[in-house]
Amino acid sequence: MNLVWGVRILFEIQDKLDPFQFGGIRGSSTTMALIDMIHKWHTAIHAKDSIQIVFLDYSKAFDLVDHSTLIKKFQKLSLSEVPLYWLCGFLACRRQRVKLGNEISEWLVMKGAMPQGSWLGPLCFIVYIHDMPTIKEIFTHKYIDDTTLTEVVKKNVKTQMNTALENIEKWSAVNQMKINAKKTKHMTIHFKRKPLEIDPVQVNNTVIETVKNFKILGVWVSSNLKWDCHHQKIISKLSQRLYLLKQLKRSGLGTDDLIVYYKSVLRSIAEYACQVWHSGLTKAQTTSLEHQQERALRIILPDKDYESALQETGLEKLVDRREAACKKLFRQMESTIHRLHKLMPERKNHRYETSHANQRKVTTPLNNRYKTDFVINGLLKFQ
């Protein structure tokens, strides 16, 4: 029932939601949010500008949602009366209690917060932060409660990041939200010889920490726009799970079940959001990732070499699967209704039909770093 009403509510208001909200929206994903975000970084750096980024963190974000404020926000989005009344009933007089062993606490009536595990939870939260203030000079990317602010830092132009954060702090206070200054992080991307001179970034009168690596939406991004940190994290996770695969093999689990385990528990890690970082891997990193699958197949089929094991199990090489995933997403972006179609440059105008007719314009990459961007790499390889 919650899902049915949630779909109806989303259908009515989805065209009015923040265009930079990628979470809880049909046809969107963490991968798309990351591609859009990182493409802006690459584009600015290629234009010989610098970047500063703030990764906002809210303390207990879902627990601080005020129900009356939320209903008012749905009204502003012109949600019709029937789903609005149903939503009021869904949120009103919710109770919870804690059971520990045979001990049970008293019932507590909830005046705020979103029900955990409910499909409506994320939807209500994105409506709650829909009207977060923005500044024209700063790009805002949201994925449910993950908010990233990106500012292009130009020479002799005063930065606006602290002004943006002050506005968000005031909005947060009005909406009973609280920014966690300790978990909020700052990153700069700067490749010029002269050090980047910008004002310290502050939240709640606290200077936030500047980091070189940060995990956003499950992917580690770095200030040098390389994927060394993310690659190391993947290898570390795969190594831990290979041990579990080995234990399952020793316990007598069948080959088919081991392959299912590998696909769901190991390969899913090696391929998560791979379109974002695949084109930026070095040859050594590509080989290292492939070696993890080779190790897994050596456990499952110890008497087979890698090529034979691939053939017998019907698996493909990881590099081939990542390449196919990149090509598939790039082709999907050709559609005008795709979420990332706006990143595609205009097509060339040719008077005559040639091999290059109807291709999209590609800015000539000035360095290899720009070529690793998903959009630019796709234009160079797949069109």
Short mmCIF file of all heavy atoms in Angstrom, two decimals, residues 34-53 55 150 187-192 211-214 216 219-231 275-282 285 367-374 376:
data_model
loop_
_atom_site.label_atom_id
_atom_site.label_comp_id
_atom_site.label_asym_id
_atom_site.label_seq_id
_atom_site.Cartn_x
_atom_site.Cartn_y
_atom_site.Cartn_z
N LEU A 34 27.22 10.64 -9.91
CA LEU A 34 28.68 10.74 -9.90
C LEU A 34 29.22 11.18 -11.25
O LEU A 34 30.14 12.00 -11.33
CB LEU A 34 29.29 9.38 -9.51
CG LEU A 34 29.13 9.01 -8.03
CD1 LEU A 34 29.37 7.52 -7.83
CD2 LEU A 34 30.08 9.82 -7.16
N ILE A 35 28.66 10.65 -12.34
CA ILE A 35 29.11 11.04 -13.68
C ILE A 35 28.87 12.53 -13.91
O ILE A 35 29.75 13.25 -14.41
CB ILE A 35 28.39 10.20 -14.76
CG1 ILE A 35 28.95 8.77 -14.77
CG2 ILE A 35 28.56 10.83 -16.14
CD1 ILE A 35 28.21 7.83 -15.70
N ASP A 36 27.69 13.01 -13.54
CA ASP A 36 27.36 14.42 -13.72
C ASP A 36 28.29 15.30 -12.90
O ASP A 36 28.81 16.32 -13.37
CB ASP A 36 25.91 14.67 -13.32
CG ASP A 36 25.43 16.05 -13.69
OD1 ASP A 36 25.05 16.25 -14.85
OD2 ASP A 36 25.46 16.94 -12.82
N MET A 37 28.52 14.90 -11.67
CA MET A 37 29.37 15.66 -10.75
C MET A 37 30.81 15.72 -11.25
O MET A 37 31.42 16.79 -11.36
CB MET A 37 29.31 14.99 -9.37
CG MET A 37 29.99 15.73 -8.24
SD MET A 37 30.04 14.69 -6.74
CE MET A 37 28.33 14.14 -6.61
N ILE A 38 31.38 14.56 -11.56
CA ILE A 38 32.79 14.49 -11.94
C ILE A 38 33.03 15.10 -13.31
O ILE A 38 34.10 15.65 -13.58
CB ILE A 38 33.28 13.02 -11.87
CG1 ILE A 38 33.21 12.54 -10.41
CG2 ILE A 38 34.70 12.88 -12.40
CD1 ILE A 38 33.50 11.07 -10.22
N HIS A 39 32.03 15.03 -14.19
CA HIS A 39 32.16 15.68 -15.50
C HIS A 39 32.33 17.19 -15.32
O HIS A 39 33.12 17.82 -16.04
CB HIS A 39 30.95 15.38 -16.37
CG HIS A 39 30.99 16.03 -17.71
ND1 HIS A 39 31.91 15.70 -18.69
CD2 HIS A 39 30.24 17.04 -18.25
CE1 HIS A 39 31.73 16.45 -19.76
NE2 HIS A 39 30.72 17.27 -19.52
N LYS A 40 31.62 17.77 -14.38
CA LYS A 40 31.76 19.21 -14.10
C LYS A 40 33.17 19.51 -13.59
O LYS A 40 33.76 20.54 -13.91
CB LYS A 40 30.69 19.66 -13.12
CG LYS A 40 29.31 19.79 -13.77
CD LYS A 40 28.26 20.25 -12.78
CE LYS A 40 26.96 20.63 -13.48
NZ LYS A 40 26.41 19.61 -14.37
N TRP A 41 33.71 18.62 -12.77
CA TRP A 41 35.07 18.81 -12.27
C TRP A 41 36.06 18.77 -13.42
O TRP A 41 36.92 19.64 -13.54
CB TRP A 41 35.43 17.73 -11.25
CG TRP A 41 34.54 17.67 -10.05
CD1 TRP A 41 33.55 18.56 -9.70
CD2 TRP A 41 34.54 16.67 -9.02
NE1 TRP A 41 32.94 18.17 -8.54
CE2 TRP A 41 33.53 17.02 -8.08
CE3 TRP A 41 35.29 15.52 -8.80
CZ2 TRP A 41 33.27 16.25 -6.96
CZ3 TRP A 41 35.03 14.76 -7.67
CH2 TRP A 41 34.03 15.13 -6.77
N HIS A 42 35.96 17.76 -14.26
CA HIS A 42 36.89 17.62 -15.38
C HIS A 42 36.78 18.81 -16.33
O HIS A 42 37.80 19.30 -16.83
CB HIS A 42 36.60 16.32 -16.15
CG HIS A 42 37.26 15.12 -15.57
ND1 HIS A 42 38.62 14.89 -15.67
CD2 HIS A 42 36.76 14.06 -14.89
CE1 HIS A 42 38.92 13.75 -15.09
NE2 HIS A 42 37.82 13.22 -14.60
N THR A 43 35.56 19.25 -16.59
CA THR A 43 35.35 20.36 -17.52
C THR A 43 36.01 21.63 -16.99
O THR A 43 36.67 22.36 -17.75
CB THR A 43 33.85 20.59 -17.75
OG1 THR A 43 33.25 19.40 -18.25
CG2 THR A 43 33.63 21.72 -18.74
N ALA A 44 35.86 21.90 -15.71
CA ALA A 44 36.45 23.10 -15.12
C ALA A 44 37.97 23.03 -15.12
O ALA A 44 38.65 24.00 -15.46
CB ALA A 44 35.93 23.28 -13.69
N ILE A 45 38.52 21.88 -14.76
CA ILE A 45 39.97 21.72 -14.73
C ILE A 45 40.55 21.82 -16.14
O ILE A 45 41.61 22.42 -16.36
CB ILE A 45 40.36 20.37 -14.09
CG1 ILE A 45 39.94 20.35 -12.61
CG2 ILE A 45 41.84 20.10 -14.22
CD1 ILE A 45 40.57 21.43 -11.76
N HIS A 46 39.84 21.28 -17.13
CA HIS A 46 40.30 21.36 -18.51
C HIS A 46 40.30 22.80 -19.01
O HIS A 46 41.10 23.16 -19.89
CB HIS A 46 39.41 20.49 -19.41
CG HIS A 46 39.96 20.28 -20.78
ND1 HIS A 46 39.46 20.90 -21.90
CD2 HIS A 46 40.99 19.53 -21.21
CE1 HIS A 46 40.15 20.53 -22.96
NE2 HIS A 46 41.08 19.70 -22.58
N ALA A 47 39.42 23.62 -18.43
CA ALA A 47 39.37 25.05 -18.78
C ALA A 47 40.40 25.86 -17.98
O ALA A 47 40.36 27.09 -17.98
CB ALA A 47 37.97 25.60 -18.54
N LYS A 48 41.29 25.13 -17.28
CA LYS A 48 42.39 25.72 -16.50
C LYS A 48 41.90 26.53 -15.30
O LYS A 48 42.54 27.49 -14.87
CB LYS A 48 43.29 26.57 -17.40
CG LYS A 48 43.94 25.77 -18.52
CD LYS A 48 44.89 26.61 -19.35
CE LYS A 48 45.54 25.77 -20.44
NZ LYS A 48 46.50 26.57 -21.26
N ASP A 49 40.73 26.13 -14.77
CA ASP A 49 40.25 26.69 -13.51
C ASP A 49 40.56 25.69 -12.39
O ASP A 49 41.10 24.62 -12.63
CB ASP A 49 38.74 26.94 -13.58
CG ASP A 49 38.39 28.06 -14.56
OD1 ASP A 49 39.11 29.07 -14.58
OD2 ASP A 49 37.40 27.91 -15.30
N SER A 50 40.21 26.06 -11.18
CA SER A 50 40.35 25.16 -10.03
C SER A 50 38.96 24.88 -9.45
O SER A 50 37.98 25.54 -9.81
CB SER A 50 41.27 25.77 -8.97
OG SER A 50 42.57 25.97 -9.49
N ILE A 51 38.91 23.92 -8.55
CA ILE A 51 37.62 23.49 -7.99
C ILE A 51 37.74 23.40 -6.47
O ILE A 51 38.76 22.96 -5.95
CB ILE A 51 37.23 22.10 -8.54
CG1 ILE A 51 36.95 22.15 -10.04
CG2 ILE A 51 36.01 21.55 -7.82
CD1 ILE A 51 35.67 22.83 -10.41
N GLN A 52 36.69 23.82 -5.78
CA GLN A 52 36.57 23.46 -4.37
C GLN A 52 35.21 22.80 -4.17
O GLN A 52 34.21 23.21 -4.76
CB GLN A 52 36.77 24.65 -3.45
CG GLN A 52 35.71 25.72 -3.44
CD GLN A 52 35.90 26.67 -2.26
OE1 GLN A 52 36.44 26.31 -1.21
NE2 GLN A 52 35.46 27.92 -2.44
N ILE A 53 35.21 21.76 -3.35
CA ILE A 53 34.02 20.94 -3.15
C ILE A 53 33.75 20.80 -1.67
O ILE A 53 34.68 20.65 -0.87
CB ILE A 53 34.23 19.53 -3.76
CG1 ILE A 53 34.72 19.63 -5.20
CG2 ILE A 53 32.95 18.71 -3.70
CD1 ILE A 53 35.56 18.46 -5.64
N PHE A 55 31.42 18.40 0.86
CA PHE A 55 30.56 17.23 1.02
C PHE A 55 29.79 17.41 2.33
O PHE A 55 30.34 17.21 3.42
CB PHE A 55 31.39 15.94 1.05
CG PHE A 55 32.27 15.76 -0.15
CD1 PHE A 55 33.62 16.06 -0.08
CD2 PHE A 55 31.75 15.28 -1.34
CE1 PHE A 55 34.45 15.89 -1.19
CE2 PHE A 55 32.56 15.10 -2.45
CZ PHE A 55 33.91 15.41 -2.39
N THR A 150 29.79 22.19 -5.41
CA THR A 150 30.99 22.36 -6.23
C THR A 150 31.07 23.79 -6.73
O THR A 150 30.12 24.31 -7.31
CB THR A 150 30.97 21.41 -7.45
OG1 THR A 150 30.94 20.06 -6.99
CG2 THR A 150 32.21 21.62 -8.32
N MET A 187 37.26 19.66 -0.17
CA MET A 187 38.31 19.17 -1.07
C MET A 187 38.60 20.22 -2.13
O MET A 187 37.67 20.90 -2.60
CB MET A 187 37.88 17.85 -1.74
CG MET A 187 38.90 17.28 -2.71
SD MET A 187 38.31 15.79 -3.57
CE MET A 187 38.36 14.60 -2.23
N THR A 188 39.84 20.38 -2.48
CA THR A 188 40.21 21.27 -3.58
C THR A 188 40.88 20.45 -4.69
O THR A 188 41.62 19.50 -4.41
CB THR A 188 41.19 22.36 -3.12
OG1 THR A 188 42.37 21.76 -2.58
CG2 THR A 188 40.54 23.25 -2.07
N ILE A 189 40.58 20.82 -5.93
CA ILE A 189 41.23 20.21 -7.09
C ILE A 189 41.95 21.33 -7.83
O ILE A 189 41.31 22.23 -8.38
CB ILE A 189 40.20 19.51 -8.01
CG1 ILE A 189 39.42 18.47 -7.21
CG2 ILE A 189 40.89 18.86 -9.19
CD1 ILE A 189 38.33 17.76 -8.02
N HIS A 190 43.26 21.26 -7.80
CA HIS A 190 44.07 22.39 -8.26
C HIS A 190 45.37 21.85 -8.86
O HIS A 190 46.10 21.11 -8.20
CB HIS A 190 44.37 23.31 -7.08
CG HIS A 190 45.24 24.47 -7.41
ND1 HIS A 190 44.81 25.55 -8.15
CD2 HIS A 190 46.54 24.75 -7.09
CE1 HIS A 190 45.78 26.43 -8.27
NE2 HIS A 190 46.85 25.97 -7.63
N PHE A 191 45.65 22.19 -10.12
CA PHE A 191 46.83 21.67 -10.79
C PHE A 191 47.79 22.77 -11.26
O PHE A 191 48.64 22.53 -12.10
CB PHE A 191 46.42 20.81 -11.99
CG PHE A 191 45.69 19.56 -11.60
CD1 PHE A 191 44.31 19.49 -11.68
CD2 PHE A 191 46.37 18.45 -11.13
CE1 PHE A 191 43.62 18.34 -11.33
CE2 PHE A 191 45.71 17.29 -10.77
CZ PHE A 191 44.33 17.24 -10.86
N LYS A 192 47.62 23.98 -10.74
CA LYS A 192 48.50 25.07 -11.12
C LYS A 192 49.71 25.12 -10.19
O LYS A 192 49.68 24.61 -9.07
CB LYS A 192 47.74 26.40 -11.08
CG LYS A 192 46.55 26.44 -12.05
CD LYS A 192 45.81 27.75 -11.94
CE LYS A 192 44.60 27.77 -12.88
NZ LYS A 192 43.84 29.04 -12.79
N VAL A 211 40.31 17.38 2.80
CA VAL A 211 40.79 16.02 2.59
C VAL A 211 41.24 15.83 1.14
O VAL A 211 40.85 16.59 0.25
CB VAL A 211 39.70 14.99 2.93
CG1 VAL A 211 39.34 15.05 4.41
CG2 VAL A 211 38.45 15.21 2.06
N LYS A 212 42.06 14.82 0.91
CA LYS A 212 42.52 14.49 -0.44
C LYS A 212 41.69 13.37 -1.05
O LYS A 212 41.64 13.24 -2.28
CB LYS A 212 44.00 14.11 -0.41
CG LYS A 212 44.93 15.26 -0.08
CD LYS A 212 46.39 14.85 -0.19
CE LYS A 212 47.31 16.04 0.09
NZ LYS A 212 48.74 15.66 -0.03
N ASN A 213 41.08 12.55 -0.20
CA ASN A 213 40.23 11.46 -0.67
C ASN A 213 38.93 11.47 0.13
O ASN A 213 38.93 11.75 1.33
CB ASN A 213 40.92 10.10 -0.48
CG ASN A 213 42.26 10.03 -1.18
OD1 ASN A 213 42.35 10.10 -2.40
ND2 ASN A 213 43.33 9.90 -0.40
N PHE A 214 37.82 11.15 -0.56
CA PHE A 214 36.53 11.13 0.14
C PHE A 214 35.61 10.12 -0.54
O PHE A 214 35.58 10.02 -1.77
CB PHE A 214 35.87 12.51 0.13
CG PHE A 214 34.63 12.59 0.97
CD1 PHE A 214 34.73 12.74 2.34
CD2 PHE A 214 33.38 12.48 0.39
CE1 PHE A 214 33.58 12.80 3.13
CE2 PHE A 214 32.23 12.54 1.16
CZ PHE A 214 32.33 12.70 2.54
N ILE A 216 32.12 9.16 -1.63
CA ILE A 216 30.82 9.75 -1.93
C ILE A 216 30.00 8.77 -2.75
O ILE A 216 30.45 8.29 -3.79
CB ILE A 216 30.98 11.11 -2.67
CG1 ILE A 216 29.61 11.69 -3.06
CG2 ILE A 216 31.88 10.99 -3.88
CD1 ILE A 216 28.82 12.20 -1.91
N VAL A 219 31.79 5.55 -3.82
CA VAL A 219 32.99 5.64 -4.67
C VAL A 219 33.96 6.63 -4.04
O VAL A 219 33.57 7.72 -3.62
CB VAL A 219 32.63 6.09 -6.10
CG1 VAL A 219 33.88 6.38 -6.92
CG2 VAL A 219 31.78 5.03 -6.79
N TRP A 220 35.24 6.24 -3.97
CA TRP A 220 36.28 7.12 -3.42
C TRP A 220 36.79 8.04 -4.52
O TRP A 220 37.34 7.58 -5.52
CB TRP A 220 37.43 6.29 -2.85
CG TRP A 220 37.10 5.66 -1.53
CD1 TRP A 220 36.50 4.45 -1.33
CD2 TRP A 220 37.34 6.21 -0.23
NE1 TRP A 220 36.35 4.20 0.01
CE2 TRP A 220 36.86 5.27 0.71
CE3 TRP A 220 37.92 7.40 0.22
CZ2 TRP A 220 36.94 5.49 2.08
CZ3 TRP A 220 37.99 7.62 1.58
CH2 TRP A 220 37.51 6.68 2.50
N VAL A 221 36.60 9.34 -4.32
CA VAL A 221 37.12 10.34 -5.27
C VAL A 221 38.36 10.99 -4.65
O VAL A 221 38.48 11.06 -3.42
CB VAL A 221 36.07 11.40 -5.61
CG1 VAL A 221 34.91 10.79 -6.37
CG2 VAL A 221 35.56 12.11 -4.35
N SER A 222 39.26 11.45 -5.51
CA SER A 222 40.53 12.01 -5.03
C SER A 222 40.78 13.37 -5.65
O SER A 222 40.32 13.67 -6.75
CB SER A 222 41.69 11.07 -5.38
OG SER A 222 41.48 9.79 -4.78
N SER A 223 41.55 14.19 -4.95
CA SER A 223 41.83 15.55 -5.39
C SER A 223 42.72 15.59 -6.62
O SER A 223 42.83 16.63 -7.28
CB SER A 223 42.47 16.36 -4.26
OG SER A 223 43.67 15.75 -3.83
N ASN A 224 43.39 14.49 -6.96
CA ASN A 224 44.21 14.45 -8.17
C ASN A 224 43.45 13.85 -9.36
O ASN A 224 44.03 13.64 -10.43
CB ASN A 224 45.50 13.66 -7.92
CG ASN A 224 45.24 12.22 -7.50
OD1 ASN A 224 44.09 11.76 -7.47
ND2 ASN A 224 46.30 11.50 -7.16
N LEU A 225 42.16 13.57 -9.16
CA LEU A 225 41.28 13.01 -10.20
C LEU A 225 41.79 11.66 -10.72
O LEU A 225 41.50 11.29 -11.85
CB LEU A 225 41.10 14.01 -11.36
CG LEU A 225 40.31 15.27 -11.02
CD1 LEU A 225 40.21 16.18 -12.24
CD2 LEU A 225 38.90 14.92 -10.52
N LYS A 226 42.52 10.96 -9.89
CA LYS A 226 42.94 9.59 -10.23
C LYS A 226 42.16 8.62 -9.35
O LYS A 226 41.50 9.00 -8.40
CB LYS A 226 44.45 9.44 -10.02
CG LYS A 226 45.29 10.28 -10.99
CD LYS A 226 46.78 10.02 -10.79
CE LYS A 226 47.61 10.85 -11.76
NZ LYS A 226 49.06 10.61 -11.60
N TRP A 227 42.28 7.33 -9.69
CA TRP A 227 41.46 6.32 -9.03
C TRP A 227 42.29 5.34 -8.20
O TRP A 227 41.85 4.22 -7.94
CB TRP A 227 40.63 5.58 -10.08
CG TRP A 227 39.69 6.51 -10.77
CD1 TRP A 227 39.81 7.03 -12.03
CD2 TRP A 227 38.49 7.07 -10.22
NE1 TRP A 227 38.76 7.88 -12.30
CE2 TRP A 227 37.93 7.92 -11.21
CE3 TRP A 227 37.82 6.93 -9.00
CZ2 TRP A 227 36.75 8.62 -11.01
CZ3 TRP A 227 36.66 7.64 -8.80
CH2 TRP A 227 36.13 8.46 -9.80
N ASP A 228 43.47 5.77 -7.78
CA ASP A 228 44.34 4.91 -6.97
C ASP A 228 43.66 4.48 -5.67
O ASP A 228 43.67 3.30 -5.31
CB ASP A 228 45.65 5.61 -6.65
CG ASP A 228 46.44 5.97 -7.90
OD1 ASP A 228 46.05 5.52 -9.00
OD2 ASP A 228 47.44 6.69 -7.79
N CYS A 229 43.08 5.44 -4.95
CA CYS A 229 42.45 5.14 -3.67
C CYS A 229 41.26 4.21 -3.85
O CYS A 229 41.12 3.22 -3.13
CB CYS A 229 42.01 6.44 -2.99
SG CYS A 229 41.20 6.20 -1.40
N HIS A 230 40.40 4.51 -4.83
CA HIS A 230 39.22 3.66 -5.05
C HIS A 230 39.64 2.25 -5.46
O HIS A 230 39.05 1.26 -4.98
CB HIS A 230 38.33 4.28 -6.14
CG HIS A 230 37.05 3.54 -6.35
ND1 HIS A 230 36.09 3.43 -5.38
CD2 HIS A 230 36.58 2.85 -7.43
CE1 HIS A 230 35.07 2.72 -5.83
NE2 HIS A 230 35.34 2.35 -7.07
N HIS A 231 40.64 2.15 -6.29
CA HIS A 231 41.14 0.84 -6.73
C HIS A 231 41.64 0.03 -5.53
O HIS A 231 41.34 -1.16 -5.39
CB HIS A 231 42.26 1.03 -7.76
CG HIS A 231 43.01 -0.22 -8.07
ND1 HIS A 231 44.24 -0.51 -7.51
CD2 HIS A 231 42.71 -1.28 -8.87
CE1 HIS A 231 44.66 -1.67 -7.94
NE2 HIS A 231 43.76 -2.16 -8.77
N GLN A 275 31.17 2.63 -14.59
CA GLN A 275 31.20 3.62 -15.67
C GLN A 275 31.90 4.90 -15.23
O GLN A 275 32.48 5.61 -16.05
CB GLN A 275 29.77 3.95 -16.12
CG GLN A 275 29.02 2.77 -16.71
CD GLN A 275 28.17 2.05 -15.69
OE1 GLN A 275 28.52 2.00 -14.52
NE2 GLN A 275 27.05 1.48 -16.12
N VAL A 276 31.86 5.19 -13.94
CA VAL A 276 32.46 6.41 -13.42
C VAL A 276 33.98 6.36 -13.50
O VAL A 276 34.63 7.35 -13.85
CB VAL A 276 32.02 6.63 -11.95
CG1 VAL A 276 32.67 7.88 -11.37
CG2 VAL A 276 30.51 6.72 -11.85
N TRP A 277 34.57 5.20 -13.18
CA TRP A 277 36.02 5.12 -13.00
C TRP A 277 36.77 4.21 -13.98
O TRP A 277 37.99 4.22 -14.02
CB TRP A 277 36.34 4.66 -11.56
CG TRP A 277 35.53 3.50 -11.06
CD1 TRP A 277 34.38 3.55 -10.33
CD2 TRP A 277 35.81 2.10 -11.25
NE1 TRP A 277 33.93 2.28 -10.04
CE2 TRP A 277 34.79 1.38 -10.59
CE3 TRP A 277 36.82 1.39 -11.90
CZ2 TRP A 277 34.74 -0.02 -10.56
CZ3 TRP A 277 36.78 0.00 -11.89
CH2 TRP A 277 35.76 -0.69 -11.21
N HIS A 278 36.05 3.44 -14.78
CA HIS A 278 36.71 2.47 -15.66
C HIS A 278 37.74 3.11 -16.59
O HIS A 278 38.88 2.63 -16.71
CB HIS A 278 35.67 1.71 -16.48
CG HIS A 278 36.25 0.89 -17.60
ND1 HIS A 278 37.07 -0.19 -17.38
CD2 HIS A 278 36.16 1.03 -18.95
CE1 HIS A 278 37.45 -0.70 -18.55
NE2 HIS A 278 36.91 0.02 -19.50
N SER A 279 37.36 4.19 -17.25
CA SER A 279 38.26 4.81 -18.24
C SER A 279 39.47 5.47 -17.60
O SER A 279 40.44 5.80 -18.29
CB SER A 279 37.50 5.85 -19.08
OG SER A 279 36.91 6.82 -18.24
N GLY A 280 39.44 5.63 -16.27
CA GLY A 280 40.57 6.25 -15.59
C GLY A 280 41.56 5.28 -14.99
O GLY A 280 42.57 5.69 -14.40
N LEU A 281 41.30 3.98 -15.14
CA LEU A 281 42.22 2.98 -14.60
C LEU A 281 43.49 2.89 -15.43
O LEU A 281 43.46 3.01 -16.66
CB LEU A 281 41.55 1.60 -14.56
CG LEU A 281 40.37 1.40 -13.61
CD1 LEU A 281 39.87 -0.02 -13.72
CD2 LEU A 281 40.74 1.74 -12.17
N THR A 282 44.60 2.65 -14.77
CA THR A 282 45.86 2.37 -15.49
C THR A 282 45.86 0.90 -15.92
O THR A 282 45.02 0.11 -15.48
CB THR A 282 47.07 2.63 -14.58
OG1 THR A 282 47.03 1.69 -13.48
CG2 THR A 282 47.05 4.04 -14.01
N GLN A 285 46.29 -1.30 -12.92
CA GLN A 285 45.09 -1.43 -12.10
C GLN A 285 44.07 -2.35 -12.77
O GLN A 285 43.41 -3.14 -12.10
CB GLN A 285 44.49 -0.04 -11.86
CG GLN A 285 45.32 0.82 -10.92
CD GLN A 285 44.90 2.27 -10.90
OE1 GLN A 285 44.16 2.73 -11.79
NE2 GLN A 285 45.34 3.01 -9.90
N ASN A 367 45.01 17.10 -22.19
CA ASN A 367 45.81 16.18 -21.39
C ASN A 367 45.07 14.85 -21.25
O ASN A 367 43.87 14.74 -21.55
CB ASN A 367 46.13 16.76 -20.01
CG ASN A 367 44.87 17.27 -19.31
OD1 ASN A 367 43.91 16.53 -19.12
ND2 ASN A 367 44.88 18.54 -18.93
N ASN A 368 45.78 13.84 -20.79
CA ASN A 368 45.19 12.52 -20.63
C ASN A 368 44.14 12.49 -19.53
O ASN A 368 43.24 11.65 -19.54
CB ASN A 368 46.28 11.49 -20.33
CG ASN A 368 47.15 11.20 -21.54
OD1 ASN A 368 46.67 11.25 -22.67
ND2 ASN A 368 48.42 10.92 -21.32
N ARG A 369 44.24 13.39 -18.56
CA ARG A 369 43.28 13.44 -17.46
C ARG A 369 41.87 13.67 -17.99
O ARG A 369 40.91 13.03 -17.54
CB ARG A 369 43.67 14.55 -16.49
CG ARG A 369 42.83 14.60 -15.23
CD ARG A 369 43.12 15.85 -14.40
NE ARG A 369 44.54 15.96 -14.11
CZ ARG A 369 45.31 16.94 -14.56
NH1 ARG A 369 44.81 17.88 -15.36
NH2 ARG A 369 46.58 17.01 -14.24
N TYR A 370 41.73 14.59 -18.94
CA TYR A 370 40.42 14.91 -19.49
C TYR A 370 39.84 13.74 -20.26
O TYR A 370 38.63 13.53 -20.30
CB TYR A 370 40.55 16.14 -20.39
CG TYR A 370 39.23 16.78 -20.80
CD1 TYR A 370 38.27 17.10 -19.85
CD2 TYR A 370 38.97 17.08 -22.13
CE1 TYR A 370 37.08 17.69 -20.23
CE2 TYR A 370 37.78 17.68 -22.51
CZ TYR A 370 36.83 17.98 -21.56
OH TYR A 370 35.65 18.58 -21.92
N LYS A 371 40.70 12.94 -20.88
CA LYS A 371 40.25 11.78 -21.65
C LYS A 371 39.62 10.71 -20.77
O LYS A 371 38.86 9.88 -21.25
CB LYS A 371 41.42 11.17 -22.42
CG LYS A 371 41.98 12.03 -23.53
CD LYS A 371 43.14 11.33 -24.21
CE LYS A 371 43.77 12.21 -25.29
NZ LYS A 371 44.93 11.54 -25.94
N THR A 372 39.95 10.71 -19.47
CA THR A 372 39.42 9.69 -18.59
C THR A 372 38.00 9.99 -18.13
O THR A 372 37.36 9.14 -17.50
CB THR A 372 40.31 9.52 -17.34
OG1 THR A 372 40.28 10.73 -16.56
CG2 THR A 372 41.75 9.21 -17.73
N ASP A 373 37.50 11.20 -18.40
CA ASP A 373 36.11 11.52 -18.06
C ASP A 373 35.17 10.63 -18.86
O ASP A 373 35.39 10.38 -20.05
CB ASP A 373 35.84 13.00 -18.38
CG ASP A 373 34.40 13.38 -18.08
OD1 ASP A 373 34.05 13.50 -16.90
OD2 ASP A 373 33.63 13.53 -19.05
N PHE A 374 34.11 10.15 -18.23
CA PHE A 374 33.21 9.20 -18.89
C PHE A 374 32.64 9.75 -20.19
O PHE A 374 32.62 9.07 -21.22
CB PHE A 374 32.05 8.82 -17.96
CG PHE A 374 30.99 8.01 -18.63
CD1 PHE A 374 31.17 6.65 -18.87
CD2 PHE A 374 29.81 8.60 -19.06
CE1 PHE A 374 30.20 5.90 -19.51
CE2 PHE A 374 28.83 7.86 -19.70
CZ PHE A 374 29.02 6.51 -19.92
N ILE A 376 33.71 12.31 -22.18
CA ILE A 376 34.73 12.54 -23.20
C ILE A 376 35.26 11.21 -23.73
O ILE A 376 35.44 11.05 -24.95
CB ILE A 376 35.89 13.39 -22.62
CG1 ILE A 376 35.35 14.72 -22.06
CG2 ILE A 376 36.95 13.64 -23.67
CD1 ILE A 376 34.58 15.55 -23.06
#
